[in-house]
């Protein structure tokens, strides 16, 4: 079995699925000749040709809108938005159409497409290259939102996303792209959308994270008896795994890098309050990004939740 | 019924100074000797700044940086035609525009080192912060132009962008509004032939970018973007027209991105070295040097002095930028709203439910 980083794992998933299913094609800015600015689509143009790996003009709305048309026609487009911070021009297409064709046509027309987008902070890139706006898309009925936390999860989830009958936003944490290497099997394996993973068993506190924050949480909380949940899918999220763990530990910390207000942690906290209130021994806490635009490099270390803030929050919970 | 021709279009291109340094006397704009030498100095400064920025990036002293090499004439020539009171809406690859308008060099270094304070435009100038989201800022220039007209102020808006930006919906919406309302905007496109790895020919099926303006009811012209006189002249004409109530103009500066897209890019993956070599002979600075030699302007000694002055200015700017105290944690919060919200104020003081 090969040891791969996340870039290579996503690449492998794309390659295998394109070999298996000729309905799958790729569109995006710089995805062909250049292999993507992070090299995620490297080699795919040579293997599958210009008809299936399409370098597009610079227009996010057109990329997503075209993917909608392709998917309506029965194809399985996987499009890349170069950075999540540039997806907003396509918001209308996602919200008004991709998310609603099925419902609007009562199932007659559907949009089985995948939008891949590198996202998240911590790579010291220019403005708008480090956004973490996953919550916007969790607020859109009709779209699924998936966030792998490592190479193995990335491949299995991407295969599920491509095969999913509905539109999926697949967010790839840039900080992890080359940070973690894992054994990634070749060939068929999928990780179901909507299922969380217990990344570490524990008893004292439940810590929920996703994407690049999972890696931080795992490291920071080694000395604790914490149960760490890797959410993997934000929409629809796995409430069973979350609530089961909360019932066991009675304490919850949610960690995300997006701004705290209306971040996805708010939905988790509300669900826990509604459905597991009587199991709680402490208030639900969040460690999140502050309610400010993601700063440039000189300030970014103050922005991202770090080990000190994560452990301080866990210690606070344990005092209850 | 026969078909009738309703409109015919033609697209023109302006060339004044060729790579050998020879020029079309009739088209040469009326610039004094001092002004020509000043243009030369600004070109040299732009290139030297760019080279220093690239080496600072390699040393890890600044972050990702987009080189302007090859595009100096398009930037200097166009900005030189603007008044200090005019407003500029730049994209992220406009160092030469900033320098021509007198934007502090140290601020530019500070910005590229990842410090937002470098985008604070000094009083007396109106250069908006760089727009990283490609093409989106063209609409802001259009709105500002509407404002200037509303107030009866003869301010012209200059919007800068690349060939890739012409594919964005916002580009078309901005052109449409500007045309409908005949607004005082000059749209300045640096067609540097590449949008990261996508060549101009894959960005649009149209033969020129300039012709796109025609569909929106105003003039578009292509100019040799490596010819500082042609760029200056076209921009002067466009600015005069805008100021005189004649509406918008689109200028396509036909130039070339000599370097990688940014310091994070590797252009060898998608374009040939021969293509780059070919453009070297069209260098914008070299041809002005040749022109000046033929005219006996700024001889070798004068040019050496310009080079020296430029290096000193850059050295000082780098020192000043690196001497600035780093931003503080509290700066994260200070400028989000006019007045800090209660929650932000709490977070700023280090309190609040786990916030930074
Ligand atoms: C809306 C948006 N999409 C994608 C990007 C990523 N990106 C940055 S520059 C660039 C190419 C821009 O090409 P062009 O407009 O020709 O300007 P140039 O870089 O050549 O100066 C891309 C795709 C972005 N910054 N904004
Ligand atoms: Mg370009």
């Amino acid at each position: 079995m090969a040891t791969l980083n996340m870039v290579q794992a996503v690449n492998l998933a794309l390659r295998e699925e394109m070999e298996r299913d000729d309905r799958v094609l790729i569109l995006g800015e710089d995805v062909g000749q250049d292999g993507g600015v992070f090299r995620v689509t490297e080699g795919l143009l040579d293997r599958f040709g210009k008809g299936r790996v399409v370098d597009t003009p610079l227009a996010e709305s057109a990329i997503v809108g075209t993917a909608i048309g392709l998917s309506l026609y029965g194809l399985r487009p996987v499009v890349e938005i170069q950075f999540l911070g540039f997806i907003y021009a396509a918001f209308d297409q996602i919200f008004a159409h991709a998310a609603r064709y099925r419902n609007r046509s009562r199932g007659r027309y559907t949009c089985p497409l995948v939008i891949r987008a590198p996202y998240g902070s911590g790579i010291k890139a220019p403005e708008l290259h480090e956004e973490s706006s996953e919550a916007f898309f969790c607020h859109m009925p009709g779209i699924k939102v998936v966030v792998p936390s490592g190479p193995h999860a990335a491949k299995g989830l991407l295969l599920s996303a491509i095969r999913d009958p509905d539109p999926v936003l697949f967010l790839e944490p840039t900080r992890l792209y080359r940070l973690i290497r894992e054994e990634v099997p070749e060939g068929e394996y999928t990780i179901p959308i909507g299922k969380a993973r217990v990344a570490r068993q524990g008893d004292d506190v439940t810590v929920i994270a996703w994407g690049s924050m999972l890696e931080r949480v795992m490291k920071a909380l080694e000395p604790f008896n914490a149960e760490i949940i890797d959410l993997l899918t934000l929409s629809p999220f796995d409430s069973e795994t979350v609530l089961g763990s909360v019932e066991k530990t009675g304490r919850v910390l949610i960690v995300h890098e997006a701004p705290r207000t209306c971040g996805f942690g708010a939905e988790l906290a509300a669900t826990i309050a509604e459905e597991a209130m009587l199991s709680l021994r402490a208030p639900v806490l969040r460690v999140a990004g502050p309610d400010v635009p993601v700063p440039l490099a000189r300030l970014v270390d103050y922005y991202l939740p770090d080990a000190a803030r994560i452990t301080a929050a866990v210690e606070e919970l344990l005092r209850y | 019924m026969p078909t009738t021709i309703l409109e015919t279009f033609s697209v023109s291109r302006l060339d004044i100074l060729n790579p050998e340094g020879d020029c079309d006397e009739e088209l040469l704009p009326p610039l004094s000797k001092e002004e020509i030498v000043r243009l030369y100095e600004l070109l040299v400064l732009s290139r030297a700044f760019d080279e220093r920025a690239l080496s600072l990036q390699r040393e890890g002293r600044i972050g990702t940086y987009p080189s302007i090499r090859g595009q100096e004439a398009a930037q200097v020539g166009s900005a030189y035609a603007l008044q200090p009171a005019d407003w500029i809406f730049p994209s992220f690859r406009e160092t030469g525009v900033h320098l021509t308008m007198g934007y502090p060099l140290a601020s530019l270094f500070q910005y590229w080192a990842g410090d937002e304070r470098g985008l604070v435009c000094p009083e007396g100038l109106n250069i908006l912060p760089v727009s990283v989201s490609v093409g989106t800022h063209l609409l802001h220039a259009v709105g500002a132009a509407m404002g200037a007209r509303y107030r009866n102020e003869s301010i012209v808006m200059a919007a800068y962008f690349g060939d890739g930006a012409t594919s964005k919906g916002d580009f078309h919406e901005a052109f449409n509004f500007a045309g409908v309302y005949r607004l005082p905007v000059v749209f300045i496109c640096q067609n540097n032939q590449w949008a990261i790895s996508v060549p101009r020919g894959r960005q649009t099926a149209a033969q020129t970018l300039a012709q796109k303006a025609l569909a929106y009811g105003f003039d578009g012209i292509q100019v040799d973007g490596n010819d500082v006189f042609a760029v200056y002249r076209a921009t002067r004409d466009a600015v005069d027209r805008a100021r005189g109530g004649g509406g918008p103009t689109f200028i396509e500066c036909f130039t070339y991105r000599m370097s990688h897209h940014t310091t994070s890019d590797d252009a060898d993956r998608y374009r040939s070295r021969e293509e780059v070599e070919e453009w070297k002979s069209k260098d914008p600075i070299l041809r002005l040097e040749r022109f000046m030699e033929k005219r006996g302007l700024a001889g070798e000694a004068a040019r050496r002095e310009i080079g020296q002055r430029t290096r000193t200015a850059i050295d000082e700017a780098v020192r000043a930028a690196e001497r600035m105290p780093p931003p503080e944690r509290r700066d994260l919060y200070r400028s989000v709203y006019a007045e800090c919200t209660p929650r932000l104020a709490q977070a700023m003081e280090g309190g609040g439910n786990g916030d930074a």
Side-chain angles (χ1 to χ4, degrees), chain B residues 162-164 190-196:
Chain B
D163 44 304
Q190 291 169 75
N191 171 8
N192 63 7
Q193 314 302 330
W194 291 92
I196 310 188

Side-chain angles (χ1 to χ4, degrees), chain B residues 100-221:
Chain B
T100 303
M101 298 309 287
Y103 197 88
L105 279 68
S107 296
L108 291 175
F109 284 123
Q110 190 186 17
Y111 172 63
W112 291 113
D115 186 337
E116 285 87 349
R117 295 172 302 175
L119 290 183
V120 179
C121 183
E123 290 301 321
L125 279 182
N126 279 302
I127 305 184
L128 276 290
V130 305
S131 173
V132 170
S133 184
V134 166
T136 49
H137 56 298
L138 275 60
L139 288 157
H140 312 163
V142 169
M146 205 180 245
R149 200 180 36 222
Y150 177 76
R151 289 208 168 134
N152 247 324
E153 287 165 350
S154 65
I155 309 274
V156 172
M157 308 300 154
Y160 284 88
F161 52 97
D163 44 304
T166 64
S167 296
K168 289 281 295 187
D170 285 349
F171 164 90
H172 296 272
E173 295 175 23
F175 271 43
N176 192 41
F177 270 46
V180 167
Y181 300 116
R182 283 176 73 87
L183 293 170
V185 193
V186 183
F187 294 106
I188 301 165
C189 177
Q190 291 169 75
N191 171 8
N192 63 7
Q193 314 302 330
W194 291 92
I196 310 188
S197 72
V198 179
R200 201 324 254 133
R202 307 283 300 168
Q203 203 61 247
T204 169
Q207 208 188 326
T208 69
L209 299 177
Q211 70 200 63
K212 289 178 185 276
L214 307 180
Y216 295 101
F218 58 92
D219 267 359
I221 182 177

Side-chain angles (χ1 to χ4, degrees), chain A residues 29 60 82 86, chain B residues 92-93 132 134 162-165 192 194-195 261:
Chain A
E29 293 159 13
E60 286 73 14
Q82 200 160 81
F86 304 131
Chain B
F92 48 83
R93 197 191 299 285
V132 170
V134 166
D163 44 304
N192 63 7
W194 291 92
H261 170 66

Side-chain angles (χ1 to χ4, degrees), chain B residues 78 81-82 86-89 138 141-142 145 155-161 175 178 183-189 218-219 221 231 234-243 247-253:
Chain B
S78 57
L82 299 169
D86 294 334
W87 286 45
I88 294 174
F89 295 77
L138 275 60
V142 169
I155 309 274
V156 172
M157 308 300 154
Y160 284 88
F161 52 97
F175 271 43
L183 293 170
V185 193
V186 183
F187 294 106
I188 301 165
C189 177
F218 58 92
D219 267 359
I221 182 177
V231 175
T235 316
R236 255 307 276 275
D237 291 349
V239 167
D240 289 348
R241 178 181 317 154
R243 234 186 277 289
T249 308
F250 179 30
I251 302 170
E252 174 191 358
C253 301

